[in-house]
Structure formats: structure tokens, C-alpha cells
Amino acid sequence: MSVLIKPIITEKMTAEGELNNRYGFLVDPKANKIQIKDAVEATYGVSVKKVRTMNYGPTRKTRFTKTGVQHGKTNATKKAIVDVVEGDIIDFYSNL
């Protein structure tokens, strides 16, 4: 099971990383905080101080088309905000 799916690279999360040493990741919905902490420490070589998680349910959508009503939904996701120890840094742009 791959715990980390991808980092969240937005203006808000980039500012949090620069100011408060907090980084965001999309993670596997079944992963717990200990698994997320171990995965971040192993992947990026930093010490994790705190992990906060947020579960997002699927977004349901309905469209009215010529053939009738179409129902659909997106996948459920989980986000993790990781606080890194002072002095450590994660550089997402180094291997572009």
C-alpha cells in the first residue's frame, strides 16, 4: 500500500511550508497518522513533529442530458498536514 499519493502544491500550502514548516499531502484514505509519519520520514528524510488528517467524502453530481439524468460522484480523499521539526525542510521542486 502506497501511503503518500502526492503533495499538495498550492499557494496556501507553499506559504505554510515557508512560514510554519507545514506541508500537505494527499494520502491513502485507509492510512493512519503513524503510517503517514513513517512514510514522510522515510521518503523525505525529515523529522515529523505532528500529523493532522482530514477526510473528504465524495462529491455527488447530477446532469440532465438528452438521454436522461446522469448521476455520478468523485472519489473520497484524505489529506494530511504534516508539521516538520524546526530546521528541517522539504523541497518539492528540487527534482523537476
Side-chain angles (χ1 to χ4, degrees):
M1 172 174 84
S2 175
V3 176
L4 298 177
I5 297 173
K6 67 179 181 178
I8 300 171
I9 302 175
T10 60
E11 284 186 39
K12 189 174 183 179
M13 285 312 304
T14 304
E16 282 289 314
E18 292 172 357
L19 299 175
N20 300 323
N21 284 345
R22 290 186 189 136
Y23 301 95
F25 296 94
L26 278 178
V27 295
D28 183 37
K30 297 178 183 174
N32 60 25
K33 292 182 181 186
I34 297 168
Q35 292 171 335
I36 295 167
K37 177 182 176 182
D38 292 340
V40 170
E41 287 178 347
T43 305
Y44 295 103
V46 296
S47 298
V48 175
K49 181 171 42 173
K50 185 177 180 182
V51 177
R52 291 176 288 166
T53 59
M54 297 171 275
N55 283 311
Y56 289 96
T59 304
R60 299 182 190 285
K61 298 180 180 181
T62 304
R63 281 189 306 191
F64 298 97
T65 63
K66 290 181 188 176
T67 59
V69 179
Q70 301 290 321
H71 299 284
K73 67 180 180 78
T74 60
N75 293 331
T77 58
K78 186 173 191 176
K79 290 183 186 178
I81 306 298
V82 177
D83 288 1
V84 178
V85 174
E86 197 70 35
D88 286 349
I89 193 166
I90 297 176
D91 188 15
F92 296 125
Y93 304 107
S94 63
N95 55 1
L96 291 179

